[in-house]
Every structure is written in C-alpha cells, then in structure tokens.
Amino acid sequence: MNAQSKIDTAGAERPPRERLVVIGNGMAGCRAVEEVLARDAGRYAVTIFGAEPRVNYNRIMLSPVLAGEKTFDEIVINDADWYAAHAITLVAGDPVVQIDRAAKLVTAQSGRIEPYDRLLIATGSDPFIIPVPGHDLPGVVTFRDLDDVDRMLAAAEKGGDAVVIGGGLLGLEAAHGLSLRGMKVTVIHLMPTLMERQLDEAAGWLLRQELERRGQTILTGANTKAILSADGHVAGIELEDGTRIRADIVVMAVGIKPSTALAKLAGIVCERGIVVDDNMVTSDPDILAVGECVQHRGACYGLVAPLWDMCRSLAGFLTDEANGYSGSVTSTKLKVSGIDLFSAGDFSGGDGAEDIVMRDAARGIYKRVVVKDDRVIGAVLYGDTADGNWYFDLLKKGEDIAPIREGLIFGQAFANGGALADPNSAVAALSDDAEICGCNGVSKGQVVGCINAGAHSLDAVRSTCKASASCGSCTGLVESLLAFTLGGAVESGPQTMCKCTSFTHDDVRRNIVDKQLRHMPQVMQELHWTTPDGCSSCRPALNYYLLCAWPGEYLDDQASRYVNERLHANIQKDGTYSVVPRMWGGITSPRELRAIADVVEKYDAPMVKVTGGQRLDIFGIKKEDLPAVWADLNAAGMVSGHAYGKALRTVKTCVGSEWCRFGTQDSTGLGVKIERMSWGSWMPHKFKIAVSGCPRNCAEATIKDFGVICVDSGYELHVGGNGGIRVRVTDLLCKVETEDQAMEMCAAFIQLYREDAHYLERTAPWLERKGLDWIKGQLFDDPEAVKRLARRFHFAQSFSQDDPWAARAAGDRRDLHSHMAEVRPLHVEYGQAEYAK
Amino acid sequence: MIGTWLDIGPTTQIEPGSARTLPVAGGEEIAVFHTMRGEFYALVNKCPHKGGPLSQGIVHGDSVSCPLHNWRISLRSGEALGEDKGCTPTIPLKVDSGRIFLLREAVVA
C-alpha cells in the first residue's frame, strides 16, 4: 500500500505527514509510538488520546507506589517534554468515545473530532468486577490506575481493615501495599493455591506462609457471596459459607479482560480481544491494535513483555519493514519486596515431561524445572530466583540441555562448571572441613573417616557419626559421599517412603513432630519432595501422619484419601459400594435388623451378608444412594461401621458370663465398652479387636490386633495377631485384673501403634519389626507411659467420634455423591453441588 | 477441533485433586478431573485394566491411580503409566469463562 497517496485532502491545510491517531496513552500506545519514531521519525503526525489526565507512566510500577517504595514521578516513562520534543499532541483526560471508520474520524468525550490515516487502538484492559451484591458500593475499588492507588492510599490513611478479593499477582501486590501502609489485610482467593496460574502447590504454599508471617490473613478456596454495607459505604464482605469479614475498603483484583467496547461499537471484529493479525492489523486495514486489548492467534496477554514484542512488529509494519509477531512466551515475577518468586512457561507436567525439583528447607528455597525432550519447558522458582532468567532463556531458545542436565537445577554457575555437573564430583570438590550435617555439626572429613572405618551404608553412617541422623536434609550429600568414597560398594539403606522422597517413613514421622510440620505442602517442602504434589502412596500416608500428630488441628485432606475412606463405604469390582453399619460388640436388635432389611429392599441391594467381624454387609449400593441409605440407618440409631477404613474395624465378642456356662467375665459388655472407646479412630492400617469370655476363645481373640481373653483372675491381653495371607498368632502382652485396666492398656497400645507404625503396616509386621521387647519397654519401663499414651488416645478420640455418615446424610459434600451433569439424548441435565471448602 | 462443544457446567463443581462423573445416555460414563494444578481433563470413567471407576482414584500430578488395583493412568493421554499397558479413551475438553465444555462428538461416540 502506498501511504503517500492516502493523504487526506479534505482538511483546510494539507498536512505534511500521515496522521497517526493513538487511542490510549498507556504503556502499549506510547511504546508503539516510540518504536515508530525510532524507525522513521518524520513519517507520522501523532495524536494520542488518554483517558487519564496525566502523562504516560509505567503501570506495572503502581504496586511500588502503593507500597510507598516509589513516587509517581519515579514511574513516569514519558514526561511532557517528550511529547513536545516529538511534536506529539497529547489529549489527556478526554477518552475517545466513537470511531467513524467510513469518515476516518474519532470523537472524544469532549466532542473533539480528530481525523486519521492510521488509527491505533491501545485501550488495554478493564478490571474484572465480580457481579456480587454490593460490588458498586463506595469503598470498593479496583487496582488498575493511579486513581485507584489514590483511593487506596486515602483509605489506608485512616487505617482499619482491608479485604483484597483475588490472590493473583495483582491482588497480592495490592495486599502487600495496603499492609505496608498499616492496614490489616485479608486476601480472599477462590482457588486453593495462591497465584495458581503461575505457581504450583508447593511454591504457593511457601508464598502463603511468608505472607501470613507478615501478618496478612489468607483465605483460599473462599468464594465471595456479597459485599456488605453500612451507612452507604462498604463495611465488609460475606463468603459463601456465611463467614463475614469486616472491611473499610475492598479491593477487587480478580483479573482483567481486554477492553474492546470501543472497537466493538465500531464494528471491528472482536472475540475475547480485538482480533489482530501478525502485523497487529485489525479487520479494518487502516486500524491497528496493540497491547492487552488484542487477541493474537487466540491468545490474550496480561503481562508487559509481550507488549514490547507486539510494538516492534507493529512499528515495523507502519514503517514498511514488516516483521510479523508470532506470539510470546511469558514469565512472571511478583513485585513484593523480600519475596523472590519467578515462574515461566508450562509447568503443568504432561506426557514425557519430567520434573527436576530441588528444595532447601533451611533457606526456604523451592526450584522446579520442567524438562521435555531435553528442552526446558517451564520453571517455578521460590526463594532464589537468580537463575530465573537463565532458565527462561534456555526455554525461549529451546536449547538442548542434555549435556548440562545433571547440574541444571543448581543453576547456571554450577551447570556450566563442567566437571562439577556430576554431583559426586561436586562433593569431591568440597574441602575436608566443609560442613555436611548442620544439625549434628559433622564435617566432610568426619563422614569420609567413618565410611573408611566401615560404615558402608547410609544407616551405618547415621548411627556412627550422626550425619543425616536428625533432619535428614543432607541425606543426598551423605549418599554422594558414600558413592564417591566406596565406588560401587555402597550397601543399600532402608526403603524410602516412596519415589517422591529419600526419607523413610520413620524419618518423615519424626520430622513432622520435631519440626512441627502441620500441612502437607510444608512436609513436602521441608523434606525435599521431588514431585510437586506427591503420589498415591505418599499422600494418604502423609495425611494420616499429620492427622495423628496434630489431632483436632490438622484438616483432613479428602483428596489424599483412598476412595473407601472418602466415600465411607467399600468400593466393589463393579463400582458399587457395600455398607456396614456399626453393631457394638456384635450385638444387634429388632429395630436395627428391620432398618437394615428395609434398606436392602428399598435400594434393591442384591446381597446382604454376615461378615467375619460379626456385622451385616449390604452390597451393591450406588454412590448416589449412599447418603439416603445412611440417613435411613442413622434413623434407626446406627452409625458408620468403618469397615472401609484404615481404622478401628470391629470388636468381636462371645457371649461370656452373661449366658455361657464356661464364661468367666462379661466379654460382650467389655467388648461394647472397648468399641465405644475406640470407634472412629484412624490408624496406620485396619485394626481389629476381639474379647473372648474364656480360654476356649470363641471370639478368635488370638488372631486380632488386640485380643482379650478373660480368665477367672482377670484379663489376658494379647497383641499383634492377624488372619489374612500370613496368619500370625498374637503375643501375650500382659495380664490385668480389672476391666478399667484392660481398657486403659488397649488405648495405650493403640496409641503406640498409631504413633510409631508405618502407614499400611498392620500390628503383626510392626511388632515383628520392632520386637515384643521394644513394645513392652515403651509401655512398661516408665510407670507413667501407659497413662500418657492412653491420655493422648482419648484426646485424639475427642475429635474423631463424629459419625461421618450423619454429616453426609445431612447434605455435606454432596459433590462426592452426585453426578456433575448428565448427557441425555437431546440435552444436558445439570447437577448443582459446588465443592465444599 | 471441529465439532460442537457441550457445556457441562461450571468449573467450581469439581474440587481440585478430584473428579466427578457425567453419565451419558446410550454411551460410556465420563469422568471429569480437576488437578491440583487447576487443569481439567475428561476420560471415559473406566480403567483399561478391570474397568474400575477412575473418577474415584487419587489424583496426583496429571495422573490418577485407579481405586481398584492402583494402575496409574495419564489424564492427558489415557495411557497406563509405568509397567502396565492399556489405554482409556480421552474426551477433548476446554474451559471457557468458568465453564467446562466437552466435544459433543466424542461424548456420544
């Protein structure tokens, strides 16, 4: 196209230059003009319309302005002199309201009309407002321009409470600023992880912990229902779950959307954004668009870096040196002082994608680089972002990282260090007095000395010089020292918990208690998990260990529960469930039997069977029917039988002295009491109890985890038995004289097992691994030990004896029991339940 | 992707790290997954091994472990991972404006 021939001759004076009108005085609009001027300064007469009554400033630096770390003058990009020097007409504070494409004119709010030869739309984006009641109250602000910052500063001057809706980049920066300005800030985030688009769970958790340490309240998985008012001003918010939070100001920072209204009005093709080609030209060949308002090859960008690339392509086209834009790979850094956080590319995993993870708990560092086909495709860094740009560079260039892969995670300096890329060589290069184990102050020389003296396994090193025997974070270093000192002669150590960690079950359990680890992502971070969110082996185990360590405090993670424990029923091979109501001590009544019979008929259960544990098992129930079945059973006074759980299953009894001519004690009565005491408790594995009224042992107490055999003089207590593939008969633990003593010993033994055994380890293998003497020692060496253990068990039980069926029957977690929707031949039937918090 | 997209409801219906089911009249039941990372996938709700309901498995990374025999299935490809061999059909899915869409042709196939 010959631009010279297009000079408008309708004007009074014949303009010497083509007229370029820019709508938007923001970063994109001005940068585009700068790029054009740099290529051909004399070609265009430029007019810029801006909605804000000020010169062009760096919008991404508004956060430091809010935080008081910068002034407005410091973030101005182009001052008034720049406009003057380039003969640019700036029309500030007068937004364009209409584009007349036929006449090639724009009209501003004031009525001012400006003709154009080329028009550039750089309207940016609008903040997304959640349309909840009260969203338009005074005191509800967005975080987009300097006026918003002024409004926030005015509110902060008065102090008080601020609520920020949105835990993304912008929301957290607003929260940080308001917090520094002295407000008490609560962040409300819909998703479970902060900045979930940029961070994985592990990094999100570290960030959350740091923000909470700084005094912010972070509520994730929180959905805002309404904004509350008092005297016509915002006064707080209400969440879906009914929680109310006081607020003097509410900042809505839930996202942005391309600002397309003006373009749409003019009939320019828009989808999510204004659709542009590789030269940033819209559906009208004389109108271009750039920045956050555009949609290029299906993508809209909300970050600054792509904007520079777009402006270069646009300016190239406007000066007849087109070099098409082909999209951008983006990276993110959070602008909160003291928090180093970097994220780039795709780190969602996927086929053939491998994670390289490094965690340094002591320094609060988490690094994850995602590699696919020997190329870096994504990176998340927290705590140490020095190599962020290097990873981003490798990513953008698609460089083959195979030669430096071993040392990649340690960063550029290390990876490019040649020989050092081999971790063993890196350890070899350490001096003899370099500290290996910080907890026990063990140097490299001491570790090597003890290896040379015969400690040829990790365990042997731990038990001799104590290196890696405490927190275990130097385990990798010690293993490298073993490999480097012994060559191939390293003896393999105890099995780790799973492939996600180099720690054993014992290490993990000990660390949870010693280091006061209270959340799963925290355990994974502190103990250097090599996967972002664990696997189906370690998640249930960690969930149990945390539940056991912090009763009443740790929030059970349903996503880490096996299906049976999540649905409180036993899954069968056809995907239906079986339901076992509790029958205390194996005793039932006509009312219970009627209720069970009614359920079997009402829900068409194909089978009802007596179990080995003296219960009735109803088969073939669909997951959708479970809550209704439970409601019916609850109505007859029955609660969950936990036949599905790594938990107390049943207490089996014989009829004892009440009926049996051989009975020596009230075995049924004791069985009922023990079951009332211990039901609902979560265990490392299933746990079965029986009470037999005499040594004939009709209740088979000697193949149970805990068995009582009544004798004339009292009660023999047996432990560590099971049926199953490898039958094991119990060992006699002790003999006691009263029921109360038997109950206390039962509680103490259960608690010892709960606190010490590995997840999915029954008492039989646990007892064989630890030895009966060890167990007796734990219980009897200290005369107070039994009491203490029993007390801890009862404390834990005070939180776990709620019938899980009752809550579900009352409507809790309906999402777990209903379909999300159904596809019928002609339409989709929608489900409703949102997931609970 | 050529075809029509079927709106099956809002993303807020599925808790991260879990799945929900979608029965199809005259077709296979579908499991819709929401990973911890916030991604959504749809697969036929059947393990290639013994037909276990994958929707009830533990979701970790972008895979799910079948609740019946612990086979690990990729949510992206439907392929069994590790030593096991087998594949569950996947259904093209997209998320737009907070709602989940499945490709109708694949749903009713």
Side-chain angles (χ1 to χ4, degrees), chain A residues 190-193 195-201 223 272 346-351 368 533-537 539-540 557-563 566-567 571-575 577 623 813-837, chain B residues 6-26 29-32 34-41 45 50-53 55-62 64-65 67-70 72 74-79 81 96-97 99-100 102 104 107-108:
Chain A
L190 183 63
M191 302 302 288
T193 301
M195 290 179 67
E196 78 285 347
R197 285 171 59 190
Q198 289 89 19
L199 299 184
D200 57 13
E201 200 188 355
N223 198 359
R272 267 188 305 152
D346 175 11
F347 45 88
S348 56
D351 292 331
R368 175 170 167 224
D533 58 1
C535 68
S536 58
S537 296
R539 291 187 72 95
D557 178 21
Q558 293 294 300
S560 297
R561 287 278 187 186
Y562 292 121
V563 57
R566 203 181 322 125
L567 289 189
I571 194 166
Q572 303 298 326
K573 59 187 265 187
D574 64 351
Y577 294 82
K623 78 173 179 205
R813 294 308 305 262
R814 270 184 48 214
D815 61 307
L816 294 180
H817 297 280
S818 60
H819 299 301
M820 72 176 295
E822 291 185 44
V823 180
R824 301 283 172 77
L826 294 173
H827 70 291
V828 177
E829 184 102 340
Y830 294 107
Q832 278 166 2
E834 302 221 336
Y835 63 86
K837 305 300 159 331
Chain B
L6 206 56
D7 181 345
I8 58 161
T11 54
T12 50
Q13 284 188 115
I14 313 177
E15 186 182 22
S18 75
R20 289 187 73 185
T21 44
L22 180 80
V24 178
E29 182 166 284
I30 291 168
V32 185
H34 185 183
T35 68
M36 291 282 180
R37 273 284 317 129
E39 292 174 318
F40 291 84
Y41 298 99
N45 190 20
K50 299 273 185 185
S55 58
Q56 303 305 320
I58 289 181
V59 179
H60 46 102
D62 54 2
V64 60
S65 293
L68 291 193
H69 306 96
N70 215 26
R72 201 156 61 85
S74 161
L75 295 177
R76 289 171 183 266
S77 63
E79 295 278 356
L81 300 170
D96 194 2
S97 306
R99 295 190 72 89
I100 304 170
L102 299 184
R104 173 186 278 279
V107 170
V108 297

Side-chain angles (χ1 to χ4, degrees), chain A residues 278-518:
Chain A
D278 289 355
N279 291 321
M280 314 312 292
V281 178
T282 68
S283 57
D284 181 326
D286 292 325
I287 302 181
L288 297 91
V290 71
E292 291 179 352
C293 61
V294 309
Q295 176 180 330
H296 172 260
R297 297 191 190 176
C300 296
Y301 297 94
L303 294 165
V304 73
L307 192 150
W308 308 146
D309 298 336
M310 288 182 196
C311 286
R312 274 192 287 276
S313 297
L314 170 127
F317 173 74
L318 283 180
T319 53
D320 302 326
E321 289 167 13
N323 58 342
Y325 172 66
S326 56
S328 298
V329 185
T330 58
S331 69
T332 308
K333 271 189 176 174
L334 182 70
K335 289 178 296 304
V336 169
S337 47
I339 296 181
D340 294 321
L341 193 161
F342 174 91
S343 133
D346 175 11
F347 45 88
S348 56
D351 292 331
E354 295 164 80
D355 287 315
I356 306 176
V357 176
M358 189 190 88
R359 304 183 192 237
D360 183 338
R363 293 193 295 145
I365 289 172
Y366 170 77
K367 296 168 94 176
R368 175 170 167 224
V369 177
V370 186
V371 172
K372 186 174 183 176
D373 301 329
D374 291 329
R375 304 279 187 278
V376 173
I377 61 165
V380 185
L381 309 177
Y382 185 95
D384 175 6
T385 54
D387 287 305
N389 290 333
W390 180 59
Y391 292 126
F392 191 45
D393 201 43
L394 290 175
L395 188 157
K396 282 192 293 187
K397 290 183 181 153
E399 272 187 41
D400 183 358
I401 51 90
I404 54 169
R405 183 179 165 129
E406 285 291 311
L408 183 68
I409 196 71
F410 301 109
Q412 184 172 21
F414 187 86
N416 292 344
L420 285 183
D422 172 6
N424 287 350
S425 322
V427 169
L430 292 173
S431 64
D432 269 355
D433 57 1
E435 189 172 81
I436 298 295
C437 174
C439 297
N440 296 307
V442 189
S443 70
K444 177 191 163 190
Q446 288 169 293
V447 176
V448 172
C450 111
I451 294 171
N452 285 332
H456 289 185
S457 70
L458 182 61
D459 241 18
V461 171
R462 284 177 175 173
S463 59
T464 46
C465 70
K466 300 284 174 228
S468 114
S470 293
C471 86
S473 63
C474 61
T475 303
L477 280 175
V478 173
E479 282 172 341
S480 292
L481 278 174
L482 278 161
F484 143 77
T485 312
L486 297 174
V490 184
E491 292 159 22
S492 64
Q495 265 207 316
T496 60
M497 200 166 137
C498 66
K499 283 179 185 164
C500 302
T501 176
S502 62
F503 285 86
T504 65
H505 283 271
D506 288 331
D507 292 334
V508 172
R509 295 208 74 166
R510 194 187 59 245
N511 272 296
I512 286 174
V513 176
D514 291 353
K515 295 180 151 187
Q516 305 262 309
L517 308 179
R518 286 162 201 272

Side-chain angles (χ1 to χ4, degrees), chain A residues 87-166:
Chain A
I88 296 167
T89 310
L90 171 64
V91 187
D94 190 9
V96 170
V97 293
Q98 202 194 353
I99 303 169
D100 182 343
R101 289 164 56 202
K104 299 182 83 173
L105 301 169
V106 298
T107 309
Q109 199 167 45
S110 63
R112 177 179 179 139
I113 291 174
E114 195 72 34
Y116 66 83
D117 299 305
R118 297 292 182 100
L119 179 65
L120 173 60
I121 303 177
T123 43
S125 56
D126 299 320
F128 189 76
I129 310 279
I130 332 173
V132 290
H135 66 88
D136 47 3
L137 282 167
V140 179
V141 303
T142 56
F143 187 15
R144 183 65 196 158
D145 57 30
L146 195 65
D147 295 331
D148 293 327
V149 172
D150 283 340
R151 275 188 282 269
M152 281 191 253
L153 291 179
E157 250 170 46
K158 291 183 226 141
D161 299 298
V163 164
V164 176
I165 304 176

